[in-house]
């Protein structure tokens, strides 16, 4: 799940089912940041965490968006992709058991 989305695809995001919607806000568990994310403003990270917890997976293609939606009810891992105001891309990954959420740069994966 690392496909980026284009502007046109952003308007074609799948909607959540009622069962998926009931699993929000997403349990984030323990929050971890990798060393590379130290250069990202904390406000950008907090906003992205809020979006992630509420089922807005950021800049992913439709297929990855659907996988994340399904992961809400199937207890699979969820990956979101965002950009800071300075244009730095970062990911947020919540593990399948919802015990840990990690903020990282793509090249730290």
């Amino acid at each position: 799940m690392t496909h980026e989305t284009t502007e046109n695809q952003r308007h074609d995001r799948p909607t959540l089912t009622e069962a998926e919607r009931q699993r929000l806000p997403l349990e984030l568990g323990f929050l971890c940041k990798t060393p590379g994310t130290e250069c990202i403003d904390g406000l950008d990270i907090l906003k992205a965490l809020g979006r992630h917890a509420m089922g807005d997976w950021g800049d992913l293609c439709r297929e990855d968006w659907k996988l994340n939606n399904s992961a809400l009810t199937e207890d699979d891992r969820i990956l979101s992709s965002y950009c800071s105001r300075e244009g730095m891309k970062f990911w947020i990954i919540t593990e399948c058991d919802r015990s840990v959420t990690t903020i990282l740069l793509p090249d730290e994966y």
Side-chain angles (χ1 to χ4, degrees):
M1 290 194 332
T2 60
H3 301 99
E4 293 182 44
T5 185
T6 64
E7 187 63 35
N8 288 340
Q9 289 171 319
R10 287 188 185 127
H11 303 291
D12 190 31
R13 293 178 174 159
T15 58
L16 293 166
T17 66
E18 184 57 33
E20 293 163 348
R21 198 174 357 281
Q22 289 179 1
R23 300 296 293 269
L24 297 174
L26 179 65
E27 294 275 339
L28 299 178
F30 184 77
L31 297 176
C32 299
K33 284 176 40 174
T34 60
T37 62
E38 292 300 320
C39 61
I40 299 173
D41 186 280
L43 184 58
D44 290 335
I45 291 174
L46 286 175
K47 286 181 179 181
L49 282 168
R51 291 174 60 190
H52 180 81
M54 294 309 296
D56 176 351
W57 315 127
D59 298 323
L60 297 178
C61 69
R62 180 177 176 79
E63 292 77 25
D64 289 344
W65 197 282
K66 287 169 69 173
L67 285 171
N68 279 344
N69 287 355
S70 295
L72 288 169
T73 56
E74 296 173 13
D75 295 326
D76 286 333
R77 186 181 74 162
I78 296 176
L79 181 146
S80 297
S81 179
Y82 306 98
C83 278
S84 70
R85 288 171 285 171
E86 291 79 28
M88 177 149 310
K89 181 177 175 178
F90 63 99
W91 290 350
I92 298 177
I93 299 174
T94 299
E95 296 302 328
C96 59
D97 65 359
R98 310 299 185 246
S99 64
V100 177
T101 295
T102 304
I103 301 107
L104 68 157
L105 301 181
D107 63 357
E108 294 178 302
Y109 183 73

